[in-house]
Amino acid sequence: MHAAWLTDTVTPDLDRAIHYTLLWGLDAVELRTVGGASDRVPHVNEEKLRRRLDEHEVPVAAVVPGLFEGPASARAARLNEVMELDATLRFCARVGCARVVVSSFAAEDGATDAAADVLRRAADAGARHGVTIAVLNEPGMRCETGTALAALLDAAGHPSLRAAWSPTTAVQAGEDPQAGLDALAGRVALVRCANTTVAGVPSPLSHGVVDWHAQLATLAAQGFAGPLSLELHLEPKPRWGLREATALLERIRDARRGSGTG
């Protein structure tokens, strides 16, 4: 496992994002908005992006194009998004990215078959490009918990479809984050790292409801080797970024020692 961060939780500015990546000792970036407020991947200044990434040898752990945020029951619209996914997959090939993070659809009753069908199609497209499609559990969406996300992955039944796991979202939805991670065992492609109080207020990694030592120990035991992507919500963000990155790196080292991987 290695440390990354979701850059636009601090800044959409590419140069500042790379500066913080290097300053905080992180290994990679997760890209969502890069440039202006409406510059969502893959529709960004790709020439500049590739040049800066190459200059500083910063890899892209994942991209977040904003797909599958609407209701799965609007099947035609979601299938159009599967076609739109191709532009993101080609972008991934050019920037050397192996993961696309997508949403789990808007919250609604039913439409499980429709959701599963769309994800299977997306995973098929990703597999053709050698890119993993990782479905994120998010607040207010179809899947807020690890258990719900695991059920959706089961319904899709695609061998290369994976989870983008947010234990903070799960605990805010009332799930024990260890139970959520157990439900997703072996299917996690990326982990979003943040913390919260019981009241839902952003908290440092070391002081919130989520036990990150336990999460990383479990991930290590499950053989997880992907990115742990830091989200930053505490102000001032640049100062907290250094503290949170340091805390994440310490927990990664502890998890490696505990698993005997060095």
Side-chain angles (χ1 to χ4, degrees):
M1 61 184 78
H2 56 278
W5 71 298
L6 185 58
T7 58
D8 65 4
T9 57
V10 174
T11 178
D13 182 87
L14 175 62
D15 291 320
R16 288 183 65 203
I18 290 177
H19 168 73
Y20 289 136
T21 304
L22 301 174
L23 179 66
W24 298 339
L26 298 173
D27 301 313
V29 291
E30 182 184 2
L31 300 177
R32 183 169 56 188
T33 303
V34 183
S38 61
D39 294 330
R40 187 74 176 258
V41 294
H43 308 294
V44 299
N45 185 338
E46 186 178 327
E47 181 182 356
K48 178 181 178 180
L49 174 64
R50 292 171 64 185
R51 184 172 66 252
R52 291 290 192 269
L53 293 173
D54 288 344
E55 286 172 355
H56 298 282
E57 298 182 338
V58 174
V60 180
V63 298
V64 192
L67 296 175
F68 310 145
E69 296 176 342
S73 58
R75 188 170 181 274
R78 303 291 78 78
L79 290 178
N80 282 336
E81 289 183 295
V82 173
M83 290 188 288
E84 293 170 14
L85 175 63
D86 185 64
T88 299
L89 294 171
R90 287 186 278 110
F91 174 82
C92 285
R94 294 190 294 269
V95 300
C97 174
R99 299 169 194 83
V100 174
V101 176
V102 301
S103 294
S104 66
F105 309 100
E108 62 177 337
D109 293 330
T112 299
D113 289 345
D117 178 61
V118 169
L119 290 178
R120 275 193 298 271
R121 292 171 184 262
D124 278 339
R128 289 193 293 271
H129 289 264
V131 174
T132 296
I133 305 300
V135 186
L136 178 66
N137 60 307
E138 298 170 276
M141 301 298 282
R142 185 182 191 94
C143 297
E144 293 185 302
T145 65
T147 302
L149 183 52
L152 181 58
L153 297 181
D154 287 341
H158 196 288
S160 65
L161 195 65
R162 293 290 184 264
W165 167 233
S166 171
T168 307
T169 298
V171 78
Q172 289 172 337
E175 181 180 58
D176 178 346
Q178 286 300 119
L181 182 53
D182 288 343
L184 293 167
R187 293 185 288 181
V188 176
L190 175 144
V191 180
R192 287 275 182 85
C193 300
N195 218 331
T196 181
T197 66
V198 174
V201 178
S203 167
L205 286 178
S206 57
H207 293 103
V209 177
V210 178
D211 182 342
W212 277 104
H213 280 298
Q215 284 283 303
L216 267 60
T218 301
L219 286 162
Q222 293 175 354
F224 174 75
L228 298 158
S229 188
L230 192 64
E231 292 186 44
L232 294 164
H233 302 295
L234 296 163
E235 298 287 353
K237 290 181 178 180
R239 183 178 301 171
W240 273 105
L242 177 58
R243 296 176 183 176
E244 295 290 84
T246 300
L248 179 58
L249 291 168
E250 289 174 350
R251 280 154 181 75
I252 291 173
R253 286 192 291 269
D254 289 345
R256 287 173 175 166
R257 283 194 294 267
S259 66
T261 58

